[in-house]
Structures are given as C-alpha cells and as structure tokens.
Amino acid sequence: MMVWSTGVESLDFIKELDCPHDPVSGRILIDSKLKIKNQKDVYSIGDCAMIEDQFYPPTAQVAD
C-alpha cells in the first residue's frame, strides 16, 4: 500500500499510525535507509518522515 500525504505538517492520519513518531513534529521516525523504526519492510519518505536525530526542513532546497 502507498499513502500520499502532502504538506509541511504531519496530518492527523500520520500521527495516529502505530509506529514511532518524533514527539515534537509528529513525523514518522525512520533510519538512514528510510525504513520505519521497529518495523519490518515498511518505509516512509517525504515531509511526514524524519531520520531519527537529523532534522531537515521541509523545503525544496534540502531536496536539491
């Protein structure tokens, strides 16, 4: 399944998923390979995800 979620803030849908989240931003915590922490073969990318202990602002300049 793929879920497309856009915007610069995590949607309530994302915040309610049963997976680890950053307590401040509500973003899904992922590792450096984009895998959701403590999940097997489940990945997250984009503004709703955050590599644990690394914050990158949700701007186009970061994606460049």
Side-chain angles (χ1 to χ4, degrees):
M1 172 178 27
M2 180 184 293
V3 176
W4 183 274
S5 170
T6 60
V8 294
E9 182 180 342
S10 291
L11 300 174
D12 289 339
F13 168 77
I14 298 298
K15 293 176 183 176
E16 294 169 3
L17 291 174
D18 186 22
C19 61
H21 292 83
D22 175 67
V24 176
S25 67
R27 292 183 172 122
I28 298 169
L29 291 177
I30 58 174
D31 64 19
S32 61
K33 295 184 179 174
L34 310 180
K35 188 171 85 60
I36 295 176
K37 304 279 297 177
N38 304 322
Q39 300 289 322
K40 183 178 178 173
D41 298 326
V42 182
Y43 299 84
S44 181
I45 61 172
D47 294 343
C48 68
M50 177 177 158
I51 297 174
E52 191 168 36
D53 300 326
Q54 295 182 27
F55 175 75
Y56 297 101
T59 61
Q61 292 83 354
V62 172
D64 189 20

